[in-house]
């Protein structure tokens, strides 16, 4: 007969595990909440994923706090696995250019608006590891959690089938986003199968079948290849016990394979010869060059990073660091696809938190392999290799957070005999400190729980506030009346607003282009153009977002330079004043984006506003005395005087501009280069 104490403990563990199962389902439901019925806000599909993920992580933290408060005890492997995730969370909150600056802590915590890759993202991994440790101790609860994780992928497969049959788009996000669970579900199911035997076989079959369908539907070569390599490793591992092959199981070979999986993609995208004919890979190479350029300009970034959530700002501010000609930038799909991620986890973490963050990431990724039970070592290696290969050319998506943490927990959670042995062991030397440690853990979990729920509510409110603005700018909805108020981003950054005005600026250009084929409503268009300029005027002086400043300049340049948009231009004096404010704020936030002044200088020069030209060239030369754009326009003003001395000086300025890479900014013909190129006098 079981002792009362043991019965109470068993009941507590079961109750906590069963309460946690629906939270795991919610955490795994990211792909489902991105479907059209759940669309919300400006980023109508991404935003529901974010606040669902953060809400689920917050609930997970509260369940863990209650469980530990009732006497629950996470296993040692789970604690060791979660530790680097929590340390990485802390480091990302205090690192960055200004340290723990009050103005930036929300952005570091919540991360970028596309994928939420910030401090809370890594905290969620640690929480899912601990919750997985709790749930997977109960065989039935573990099976039900896995069944739910498989089930939430079925609506996505249904949407794919509808697309295929009808030939229409269901409005899904990039298909590769939904493929990430395919790397984790088979490993999660296989780990349970090793414990549950026949009872887990049907779950393993279902997990493999759903994963294969997700991979087939996505048609993403990187993730399909990563999954194939992982499957090969998992299947080959048991066959390496023969004497002639045991050397392949040696720890040195294991870690060499992990290092190769992590570094090989970075090496491949660094080679122009391999990426030249692949636009997607070429974009990744150019992105890598942008990050490398930021490292060269900001050596301190190696130690403290640029801050979590700041990658999109870095990519915007340092675009020219890739060496791509400015007049060909529209050929780079980085600019049209709104990259907010380095597409390589090593680069991303190095950018966000410097070398300390990179070391913590290496520790985090290594722990599942170090802590995995002996019979699961092959599964751990397969997942680690596949995950690194996938993240070498893609990025960490929030909808896979719960899958990551729980699959890692499935690899390291102790078996029942091991747990029984652990319970029978004598108290350790830290036994007298256990109440204090438990209290500290509960306090930390309550803090994370509250933070996760706050993040979910704050992001949902922002999305709800964006809905009226989105509807007002949508020509299909025909909403009239005053402009709805501009939402306040809880990150205290204008990243979402930047994407909003950029999208509507591009839409304005498209509606007046030949591809539209319809006559726009000029009254409606004038109201929307004026509203965009009103948002820009209200925000530009206080924004800290390089993306917002650059998007604002693009809208003004289009309005002032495109003849088809001439009807929507404000008076020239008013427009130039705002345009100059935008350019100067952009140069303040992104001093190496001197190309932002090209449109302003071109328009003012062509229309004879030479005082404005001269003022802007001086602003550029205050940043770089040899700025080729400034030298070019100074030469243009001198050449208009008719004086031979001025013409001689103008020629000297043009030669100087050529020496400082003028050709990056203008497509120059051979005659110009022959006349003013290096070596000419």
């Amino acid at each position: 007969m079981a002792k009362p104490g043991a019965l109470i403990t068993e009941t507590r563990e079961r109750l906590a595990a069963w309460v946690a199962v629906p939270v795991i389902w919610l955490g795994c439901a990211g792909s489902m909440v991105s479907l059209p019925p759940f669309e919300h806000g400006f980023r109508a599909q991404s935003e529901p994923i974010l606040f669902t993920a953060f809400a689920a992580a917050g609930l997970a933290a509260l369940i863990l706090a209650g469980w530990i408060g009732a006497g629950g005890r996470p296993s040692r492997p789970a604690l060791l696995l979660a530790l680097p995730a929590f340390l990485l969370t802390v480091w990302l909150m205090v690192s960055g250019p200004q340290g723990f600056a009050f103005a930036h802590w929300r952005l570091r915590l919540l991360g970028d608006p596309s994928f939420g890759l910030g401090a809370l993202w890594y905290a969620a991994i640690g929480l899912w590891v601990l919750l997985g440790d709790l749930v997977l101790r109960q065989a039935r609860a573990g099976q039900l959690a896995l069944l739910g994780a498989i089930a939430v992928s079925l609506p996505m497969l249904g949407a794919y089938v509808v697309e295929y049959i009808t030939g229409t788009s269901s409005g899904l996000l990039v298909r590769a986003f939904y493929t990430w669970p395919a790397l984790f579900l088979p490993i999660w199911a296989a780990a349970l199968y090793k414990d549950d035997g026949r009872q887990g076989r049907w779950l393993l079959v279902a997990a493999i079948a759903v994963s294969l369908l997700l991979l087939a539907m996505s048609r993403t070569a990187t993730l399909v290849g990563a999954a194939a390599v992982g499957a090969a490793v998992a299947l080959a591992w048991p066959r390496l016990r023969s004497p002639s092959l045991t050397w392949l199981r040696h720890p040195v070979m294991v870690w060499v394979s992990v290092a190769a999986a992590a570094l090989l993609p970075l090496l491949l995208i660094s080679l122009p010869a391999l990426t030249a004919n692949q636009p997607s890979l070429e974009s990744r190479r150019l992105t890598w060059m942008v990050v490398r350029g930021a490292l060269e300009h900001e050596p301190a970034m190696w130690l403290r990073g640029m801050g979590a959530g700041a990658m999109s700002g870095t990519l915007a501010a340092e675009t020219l660091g890739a060496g791509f000609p400015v007049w060909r930038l529209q050929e780079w799909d980085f600019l049209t696809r709104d990259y907010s991620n380095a597409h390589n986890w090593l680069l991303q973490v190095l950018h966000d938190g410097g070398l300390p963050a990179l070391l913590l990431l290496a520790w985090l990724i290594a722990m599942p392999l170090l802590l995995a039970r002996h019979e699961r070592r092959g599964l751990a290696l397969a997942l680690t290799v596949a995950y690194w290969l996938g993240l070498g050319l893609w990025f960490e998506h929030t909808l896979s957070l719960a899958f990551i943490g729980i699959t890692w927990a499935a690899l390291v959670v102790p078996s029942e005999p091991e747990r029984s042995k652990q319970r029978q062991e004598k108290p350790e030397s830290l036994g007298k400190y256990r109440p204090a440690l438990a209290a500290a853990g509960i306090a930390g979990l309550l803090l994370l729980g509250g933070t996760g729920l706050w993040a979910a509510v704050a992001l949902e409110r922002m999305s709800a506030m964006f809905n009226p603005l989105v509807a007002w700018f949508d020509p299909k909805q025909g909403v009239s009346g005053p402009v709805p108020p501009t939402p306040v981003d809880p990150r205290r950054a204008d990243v979402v607003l930047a994407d909003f005005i950029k999208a509507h600026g591009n839409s304005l250009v498209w509606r007046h282009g030949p591809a539209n084929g319809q006559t726009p409503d000029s009254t409606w268009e004038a109201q929307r153009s004026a509203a965009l300029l009103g948002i820009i005027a209200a925000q530009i002086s206080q924004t800290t977002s390089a993306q917002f400043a650059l998007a604002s300049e693009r809208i003004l340049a289009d309005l002032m330079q495109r003849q088809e948009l001439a009807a929507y231009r404000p008076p020239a004096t008013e427009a130039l004043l705002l345009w100059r404010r935008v350019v100067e704020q952009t140069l303040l936030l992104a001093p190496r984006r001197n190309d932002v002044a090209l449109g302003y200088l071109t328009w003012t020069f062509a229309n004879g506003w030479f005082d404005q030209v001269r003022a802007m060239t001086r602003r550029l030369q205050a940043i770089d005395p040899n700025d080729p754009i400034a030298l070019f326009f100074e030469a243009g003003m001198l050449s208009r005087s008719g004086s031979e001395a001025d013409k001689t000086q103008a020629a000297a300025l043009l030669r100087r501009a050529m020496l400082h890479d003028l050709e990056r900014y203008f497509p120059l013909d051979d005659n110009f280069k022959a006349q003013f190129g290096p070596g000419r006098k």
Side-chain angles (χ1 to χ4, degrees):
M1 183 177 179
K3 296 181 180 179
L7 186 60
I8 292 173
T9 299
E10 184 178 351
T11 302
R12 178 195 65 213
E13 298 288 315
R14 285 183 177 178
L15 179 61
W18 284 102
V19 169
V21 167
V23 177
I24 290 178
W25 293 346
L26 181 64
C28 294
S31 60
M32 190 168 68
V33 300
S34 71
L35 292 173
F38 302 97
E39 289 182 354
H40 198 50
F42 168 58
R43 295 176 177 271
Q45 294 168 307
S46 296
E47 289 173 24
I49 294 175
L50 289 186
F51 48 74
T52 300
F54 289 149
L59 292 173
L62 296 180
I63 290 172
L64 288 167
W67 173 57
I68 294 174
R73 180 183 175 187
S75 68
R76 182 174 177 272
L79 287 172
L80 291 175
L81 179 51
L83 178 61
F86 292 137
L87 291 177
L88 190 51
T89 298
V90 173
W91 176 251
L92 290 177
M93 286 300 298
V94 301
S95 61
Q98 291 84 29
F100 189 70
F102 182 79
H104 299 281
W105 70 267
R106 293 177 181 84
L107 180 61
R108 291 180 184 140
L109 178 71
L110 299 176
D112 67 272
S114 296
F115 311 108
L117 188 60
L120 191 56
W121 195 93
Y122 290 97
I125 289 182
L127 292 171
W128 289 120
V129 167
L130 296 178
L131 198 71
D133 175 54
L134 164 63
V135 171
L136 296 178
R137 298 178 184 195
Q138 308 296 323
R140 291 290 179 266
Q143 290 174 355
L144 195 60
L146 175 58
L147 180 62
I150 294 171
V152 295
S153 297
L154 297 180
M156 192 56 50
L157 292 174
Y160 283 151
V161 171
V162 170
E163 280 190 352
Y164 181 78
I165 293 175
T166 63
T168 60
S169 173
S170 57
L172 300 175
L173 290 169
V174 178
R175 290 188 175 193
F177 295 171
Y178 304 115
T179 309
W180 282 107
L183 297 183
F184 302 102
L185 284 173
I187 302 295
W188 180 354
L192 293 187
Y193 173 64
K194 287 182 177 295
D195 282 344
D196 299 339
R198 291 180 179 275
Q199 296 177 359
R201 180 178 299 173
W202 64 276
L203 282 174
L204 177 58
V205 172
I208 292 174
V210 168
S211 297
L212 288 174
L213 288 172
L214 287 173
L215 289 166
M217 291 290 187
S218 77
R219 300 192 296 271
T220 304
T222 300
L223 296 183
V224 171
V229 172
V233 171
L235 293 173
W237 183 263
R239 294 167 175 76
L240 300 181
R241 293 193 180 95
S242 63
S244 60
L245 297 175
T246 51
W247 63 276
L248 291 172
R249 296 170 64 110
H250 192 278
V252 172
M253 295 303 300
V254 169
W255 292 112
V256 165
S257 64
V258 171
L263 297 175
L264 184 60
L266 187 58
L267 175 63
L268 292 177
I269 63 174
S270 300
L271 301 175
L274 295 178
T275 63
N277 297 320
Q278 301 289 332
S280 183
L281 291 180
E282 178 67 3
S283 280
R284 283 153 172 77
R285 186 184 73 83
L286 294 171
T287 303
W288 153 229
M289 292 179 67
V290 169
V291 177
R292 187 180 67 183
L295 285 167
E296 293 172 355
H297 288 297
E298 302 282 352
M301 178 178 159
W302 287 98
L303 294 178
R304 44 79 171 160
M306 297 297 289
M311 175 59 82
S312 56
T314 298
L315 292 176
E318 304 290 344
T319 298
L320 301 188
F324 209 73
V326 169
W327 45 277
R328 291 181 54 202
L329 281 180
Q330 293 306 317
E331 299 175 24
W332 184 4
D333 71 347
F334 152 74
L335 295 171
T336 58
R337 293 168 61 186
D338 292 326
Y339 277 28
S340 58
N341 192 286
H343 284 64
N344 181 279
W345 208 2
L346 292 173
L347 291 180
Q348 181 71 39
V349 173
L350 180 63
H351 167 275
D352 290 352
L355 286 173
L358 194 60
L359 293 174
L360 287 170
L361 175 70
W363 179 11
L364 174 63
I365 298 296
M367 290 307 283
L369 194 52
L370 289 171
L371 298 171
R373 288 162 51 184
H374 179 73
E375 68 273 17
R376 297 174 181 167
R377 197 68 51 82
L379 294 176
L381 178 61
L383 178 61
T384 304
V385 169
Y387 197 36
W388 270 123
L389 287 173
L391 291 174
L393 294 175
W394 274 92
F395 43 82
E396 319 72 24
H397 205 289
T398 308
L399 62 81
S400 62
L401 271 174
F403 291 94
I404 300 170
I406 296 171
T407 303
W408 281 349
L411 294 170
V412 306
V413 65
S415 63
E416 181 55 38
E418 291 171 335
R419 290 198 297 272
S420 299
K421 182 180 178 181
Q422 185 182 39
R423 287 193 292 266
Q424 295 169 4
E425 288 177 350
K426 294 182 179 180
E428 304 155 2
S429 58
L430 293 176
K432 61 181 180 179
Y433 302 110
R434 186 166 288 120
L437 292 173
I442 292 171
L445 289 168
L446 290 174
L447 176 62
L448 288 175
T451 302
L453 294 177
W454 166 81
V457 171
L459 292 174
E460 194 281 331
R461 283 181 177 175
M462 182 193 71
S463 294
M465 290 182 67
F466 253 113
N467 286 333
L469 196 63
V470 170
W472 195 84
F473 272 93
D474 187 351
K476 296 179 181 178
Q477 299 196 33
V479 177
S480 59
V483 186
T486 302
V488 177
D489 193 328
R491 301 171 188 84
R492 297 298 188 268
D494 293 324
V495 183
V496 178
L497 192 59
D499 288 342
F500 180 83
I501 66 168
K502 179 179 179 180
H504 287 286
N506 291 340
S507 180
L508 175 68
V509 172
W510 180 84
R511 287 195 299 271
H512 290 77
N516 184 17
Q518 297 180 2
T519 302
D521 181 344
S522 59
T523 302
W524 187 94
E525 296 286 2
Q527 291 176 340
R528 272 57 187 177
S529 300
L532 284 176
L533 293 177
I535 293 172
I536 292 169
Q539 285 296 118
I540 192 61
S541 297
Q542 60 191 18
T543 189
T544 58
S545 166
Q547 306 100 293
F548 180 83
L550 285 161
S552 300
E553 195 283 328
R554 184 68 264 161
I555 289 172
L556 281 160
D558 285 336
L559 284 172
M560 299 302 291
Q561 294 178 308
R562 291 180 180 270
Q563 189 57 38
E564 64 270 25
L565 302 181
Y568 314 128
R569 292 173 189 166
T573 303
E574 177 186 336
L576 282 183
L577 179 61
L578 178 57
W579 201 354
R580 178 173 176 174
R581 285 174 56 204
V582 168
V583 172
E584 289 181 341
Q585 184 69 5
T586 307
L587 291 172
L588 180 65
L589 297 171
R592 286 181 284 277
R593 283 301 302 269
N594 58 341
D595 63 306
V596 75
L598 269 173
Y600 177 88
L601 286 169
T602 300
W603 193 92
T604 50
F605 185 89
N607 288 276
W609 297 62
F610 298 118
D611 288 342
Q612 284 75 9
V613 174
R614 191 170 290 106
M616 186 55 67
T617 58
R618 288 172 180 169
R619 178 68 181 84
L620 291 173
Q621 288 178 312
I623 299 171
D624 178 7
N626 293 312
D627 186 286
I629 296 175
L631 295 173
F632 178 82
F633 280 97
E634 281 190 352
M637 287 189 291
L638 286 170
S639 66
R640 293 174 61 88
S641 72
S643 164
E644 288 300 319
D646 285 346
K647 289 183 178 180
T648 301
Q649 186 179 356
L653 289 175
L654 288 175
R655 283 191 289 271
R656 187 172 154 200
M658 287 293 291
L659 287 172
H660 291 88
D661 212 7
L662 178 66
E663 196 171 3
R664 287 186 59 195
Y665 302 91
F666 300 96
L668 305 176
D669 60 35
D670 292 337
N671 291 334
F672 185 95
K673 288 186 282 188
Q675 186 175 359
F676 299 108
R680 303 297 298 177
K681 295 184 179 180

